[in-house]
Amino acid sequence: MPAAPRPAERSWWLEEALARPEFAGPPAPPLSRDTAADVVILGGGYTGMWTAWFLKERDPGIDVVLLESDICGGGPSGRNGGFCDGWWGHVGDMLHTYGEADALELLMTCGRSPSEIGAWCEDNGVDAWFTRGGDLAVATSPDAEGRWEGTIEAARTLGVLEEYRMLSAEEVQERCASPVFGGGMLIADAANVQPARLARGLRNVLLERGIRIYEGTPVTRFGASKPAVAETPGGTVRAGEAVIGLGAWATWWKAFRRTLTVRGSYMVITAAAPERLEELRWTGGEQVRDLRSSIHYARATPDGRIALGLGGLQPDLARRIDHRYDFHEPFARRVAADLARLFPPFADVPIEAAWGGPINVSGFTMPFFGSTGRHGNVHHGLGYTGNGVAPSHLGGKILAALATHADDGFTRLAVVSREPKRFPPEPIRSPGMLIVNRAIRRKDDREDAGRRVGRVIGLLARIPRRLGLNLGPR
Ligand SMILES: Cc1cc2nc3c(=O)[nH]c(=O)nc-3n(C[C@H](O)[C@H](O)[C@H](O)COP(=O)(O)OP(=O)(O)OC[C@H]3O[C@@H](n4cnc5c(N)ncnc54)[C@H](O)[C@@H]3O)c2cc1C
């Protein structure tokens, strides 16, 4: 058996970024006294940081404090696959959930984010490897062929068919010659980034713009009063408005217990082997994903590595986030084996690192935003369900609007006005989801192996859809 992949210290992306002074940036020591601000932001991922950016855009004089328990980008924002795309891939579920007008508005609004992130990187001198290579969804089994038809149907209904291109198996092979890839669908309006460079670059620009960032500063108690009160080990922040950008860590807040749940996603990255990428003909910068519910997502790097991830994993009942969400050896081995199967020219290229991270899953698979608290001064943006790199940029615009009590197009979007879907209550939910989630993966794996999916597995895998959740197979 090959050696287990090395657990990355943080993620390979963060290791790469933090080794460079321009991304490590100046220190942002923990909060060590009481302070007051106009807005306090909890969480230094993309959501919290883009909110800070757009708050300053709205009001350059605003005083913003951002509290991060780890380092900015230490969570999923510095660990993800770097797929930087809007919601074109979600068009079927969006139409079903929001109806035509709202789905179209959301598609167009979030559709701007990848380009705007690219332009932001350019304007601010942040080299986040922004590559507009498109999003290539491929069938990896006969069962998966044509699984894009619902997407195409919904795109036709909304009049956005131009965004999608069907590819024959031969056309897919011209873009990425994996022996397991069949036909596919290309969405041109998608980019990919080095996620930790984006997160750290954003952090450092925020510091330059006067955002007060405190890293190593966990919020240990929060009061949704006016002012909102965020207690940390070194001091308390009082602020008129608060923004919750805690991702998966918000799952156990009373307000979100029924609307969020946690999954794990795990990645590996190979050593650089640009000649093997050439062999695969995968030199166009496309991000590649399969059409499984427990999705594989892969992208190449400018120096010729492949980073591959697998979603829909959970080491246990997922009732808390522990070290197994940073690294879990069985999952690391599994993803490494999948990489060799999907991209055989890389089978003997060493895996350089493996890591994971928690995904905050919502029932509609779309993020939800809103304001809570007796005074309406606590605002949240959560539930990206594994697609937050570009949507959190839109999320920052929405949250900045909410936190300044603006009544504008952002605060009226359906991801704000529509109540998120609720999950079944505990104690059914965690064990139920573990069983269903395993069935979903087993179904996907059997299909990929050309094996029959048993009736029980098929029935279990479809339970989420029967409950009205946009999760799992139809
Ligand atoms: C392995 C993996 C691969 C992914 N791949 C993709 C992809 O390719 N494309 C895509 O679009 N999305 C992807 N995602 C999802 C994407 O990373 C997230 O949707 C996005 O980063 C969410 O950003 P966020 O700011 O909302 O949350 P996070 O990045 O989770 O930020 C929340 C922050 O809150 C901090 N925090 C927690 N508790 C406290 C506390 N008590 N006090 C203060 N701070 C606290 C955490 O340390 C963390 O930094 C992936 C996620 C993972 C894990």
Side-chain angles (χ1 to χ4, degrees):
M1 189 187 282
R6 172 185 75 86
E9 282 290 319
R10 288 182 168 278
S11 69
W12 185 90
W13 309 121
L14 264 166
E15 290 176 348
E16 196 277 341
L18 293 173
R20 290 161 202 277
E22 70 272 29
F23 291 106
L31 183 68
S32 58
R33 61 181 173 85
D34 293 348
T35 188
D38 296 320
V39 182
V40 62
I41 296 176
L42 279 59
Y46 300 135
T47 299
M49 291 195 286
W50 282 123
T51 303
W53 169 263
F54 286 112
L55 280 168
K56 276 279 182 201
E57 289 286 283
R58 280 182 178 254
D59 176 2
I62 200 162
D63 183 18
V64 180
V65 163
L66 186 150
L67 304 172
E68 164 56 50
S69 59
D70 183 14
I71 59 167
C72 290
S77 295
R79 305 187 201 180
N80 61 75
F83 283 37
C84 181
D85 48 355
W87 286 320
W88 299 116
H90 294 255
V91 64
D93 281 337
M94 287 174 76
L95 178 60
H96 171 72
T97 303
Y98 303 113
E100 285 187 30
D102 282 329
L104 194 56
E105 181 178 46
L106 288 170
L107 282 168
M108 295 303 168
T109 319
C110 195
R112 296 191 62 86
S113 284
S115 309
E116 289 186 10
I117 290 170
W120 182 92
C121 288
E122 187 86 31
D123 292 348
N124 290 280
V126 172
D127 178 9
W129 302 354
F130 184 87
T131 307
R132 185 173 272 289
D135 175 75
L136 178 60
V138 293
T140 48
S141 69
D143 296 274
E145 290 288 347
R147 224 170 245 169
W148 45 79
E149 270 156 22
T151 301
I152 296 302
E153 187 70 37
R156 190 173 291 120
T157 305
L158 293 177
V160 294
L161 206 51
E162 282 290 302
E163 302 290 339
Y164 306 82
R165 211 181 119 196
M166 295 302 93
L167 299 182
S168 65
E170 293 70 37
E171 287 171 320
V172 168
Q173 292 297 310
E174 280 162 25
R175 290 171 180 270
C176 187
S178 162
V180 301
F181 290 176
M185 176 182 74
L186 182 73
I187 302 172
D189 185 18
N192 56 75
V193 293
Q194 204 285 35
R197 282 183 170 222
L198 176 61
R200 297 301 294 179
L202 182 51
R203 168 214 190 250
N204 297 337
V205 170
L206 291 177
L207 284 171
E208 279 165 22
R209 292 199 73 181
I211 302 293
R212 291 191 282 148
I213 296 180
Y214 297 97
E215 295 185 328
T217 304
V219 175
T220 48
R221 235 179 118 165
F222 180 77
S225 45
K226 183 95 180 175
V229 181
E231 290 179 24
T232 80
T236 295
V237 184
R238 288 189 164 71
E241 307 293 321
V243 172
I244 315 295
L246 293 173
W249 286 273
T251 305
W252 298 279
W253 281 45
K254 201 169 163 220
F256 311 118
R257 226 175 263 161
R258 289 291 303 276
T259 49
L260 275 184
T261 188
V262 177
R263 291 284 163 276
S265 197
Y266 292 80
M267 297 198 73
V268 298
I269 192 165
T270 66
E275 70 292 350
R276 305 294 176 94
L277 273 188
E278 300 260 351
E279 202 178 313
L280 278 167
R281 292 190 228 135
W282 189 14
T283 51
E286 301 91 341
Q287 55 191 42
V288 178
R289 60 187 166 94
D290 59 21
L291 292 153
R292 297 161 40 115
S293 298
S294 54
I295 188 175
H296 287 102
Y297 49 96
R299 44 81 56 91
T301 62
D303 65 349
R305 299 164 193 272
I306 291 180
L308 172 76
L310 176 60
L313 296 164
Q314 52 182 113
D316 58 7
L317 287 172
R319 283 187 170 143
R320 69 199 162 103
I321 298 168
D322 63 19
H323 61 93
R324 287 171 299 177
Y325 285 85
D326 299 333
F327 178 80
H328 189 51
E329 191 179 315
F331 293 162
R333 283 187 190 275
R334 160 79 206 251
V335 184
D338 286 352
L339 193 142
R341 182 174 60 83
L342 293 167
F343 306 108
F346 276 75
D348 61 346
V349 176
I351 299 287
E352 283 216 337
W355 67 94
I359 301 279
N360 58 132
V361 175
S362 69
F364 288 140
T365 67
M366 293 285 288
F368 52 90
F369 301 86
S371 303
T372 54
R374 204 150 49 89
H375 308 278
N377 62 331
V378 180
H379 317 281
H380 58 267
L382 301 160
Y384 295 96
T385 319
N387 180 14
V389 176
S392 60
H393 176 266
L394 171 60
K397 292 183 190 174
I398 295 172
L399 288 164
L402 289 171
T404 50
H405 296 268
D407 178 14
D408 62 17
F410 292 113
T411 58
R412 290 193 295 269
L413 286 171
V415 283
V416 184
S417 58
R418 181 73 193 263
E419 282 290 314
K421 181 84 185 161
R422 286 161 78 84
F423 289 106
E426 294 289 8
I428 305 164
R429 170 173 143 182
S430 294
M433 285 193 154
L434 181 65
I435 293 165
V436 166
N437 210 27
R438 285 197 176 147
I440 290 174
R441 206 163 61 252
R442 195 166 291 180
K443 173 181 175 296
D444 289 340
D445 289 348
R446 281 181 170 249
E447 287 175 354
D448 275 356
R451 292 172 62 194
R452 202 178 65 80
V453 177
R455 199 162 159 267
V456 176
I457 290 177
L459 281 173
L460 284 171
R462 288 188 172 83
I463 286 178
R465 294 274 169 186
R466 292 188 167 211
L467 295 176
L469 302 161
N470 293 345
L471 297 165
R474 285 168 206 287

